[in-house]
């Protein structure tokens, strides 16, 4: 059975990940990235322990237009402490953490549903 996602025109889709990079809408990005439907930028995070309010500042600034932030934690899912989750919520961000592969797929599905989704993705080998 083939499943096809209907990506809204002009929105970015995550096509590939692995080998320390991502392909987003036909463009490769080395290392970890921050993805919005209309923007991808480099993210100076190598591991889950680097994730903080400070490293997510660009999303905090756009919190009013983000329904959900998908956090790709690397090769495996990680637990977000209630304190950190509440800090993000206080800034207007609802976060869902999972391994990076699942985060890429979830971002694409939510984008295809027309949701205002963002992703913070830690690169994996």
């Amino acid at each position: 059975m083939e499943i096809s996602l209907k990506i809204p025109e002009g929105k970015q889709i995550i096509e590939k990940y692995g080998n320390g990079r991502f392909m987003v809408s036909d463009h490769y990005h080395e290392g970890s990235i921050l993805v919005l439907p209309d923007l991808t930028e480099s993210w100076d995070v190598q591991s889950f322990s680097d994730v903080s309010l400070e490293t997510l500042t660009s999303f905090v600034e756009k919190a009013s237009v983000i329904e959900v932030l998908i956090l790709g934690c690397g090769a495996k899912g990680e637990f977000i402490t209630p304190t950190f989750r509440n800090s993000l919520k206080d800034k207007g961000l609802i976060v869902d953490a999972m391994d990076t592969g699942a985060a890429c797929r979830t971002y694409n599905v939510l984008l295809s549903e027309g949701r205002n989704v963002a992703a913070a993705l830690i690169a994996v080998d």
Side-chain angles (χ1 to χ4, degrees):
M1 175 161 126
E2 184 175 316
I3 297 174
S4 109
L5 298 176
K6 303 221 185 297
I7 303 301
E9 187 69 32
K11 303 297 182 189
Q12 297 190 99
I13 186 169
I14 302 165
E15 298 172 89
K16 295 180 185 178
Y17 66 93
N19 296 320
R21 64 185 185 169
F22 296 87
M23 180 187 272
V24 181
S25 295
D26 294 327
H27 292 90
Y28 276 106
H29 301 271
E30 297 294 325
S32 301
I33 58 173
L34 301 173
V35 183
L36 288 160
D38 59 353
L39 174 72
T40 299
E41 59 187 47
S42 179
W43 189 32
D44 192 25
V45 166
Q46 277 75 49
S47 69
F48 182 74
S49 62
D50 298 333
V51 178
S52 66
L53 277 176
E54 292 75 33
T55 63
L56 295 171
T57 298
S58 64
F59 286 147
V60 170
E61 294 168 355
K62 297 172 181 77
S64 63
V65 296
I66 298 172
E67 285 179 61
V68 63
L69 170 61
I70 305 299
L71 177 57
C73 301
K76 63 184 179 79
E78 298 281 353
F79 176 74
I80 298 177
T81 66
T83 302
F84 185 49
R85 186 179 296 279
N86 288 335
S87 297
L88 290 168
K89 190 175 181 181
D90 290 345
K91 300 288 186 186
L93 289 173
I94 304 301
V95 65
D96 196 1
M98 57 197 72
D99 68 79
T100 293
C104 292
R105 293 185 295 276
T106 301
Y107 169 88
N108 287 342
V109 168
L110 292 175
L111 185 69
S112 76
E113 293 173 351
R115 305 274 301 276
N116 290 323
V117 62
L121 303 170
I122 297 172
V124 295
D125 291 328

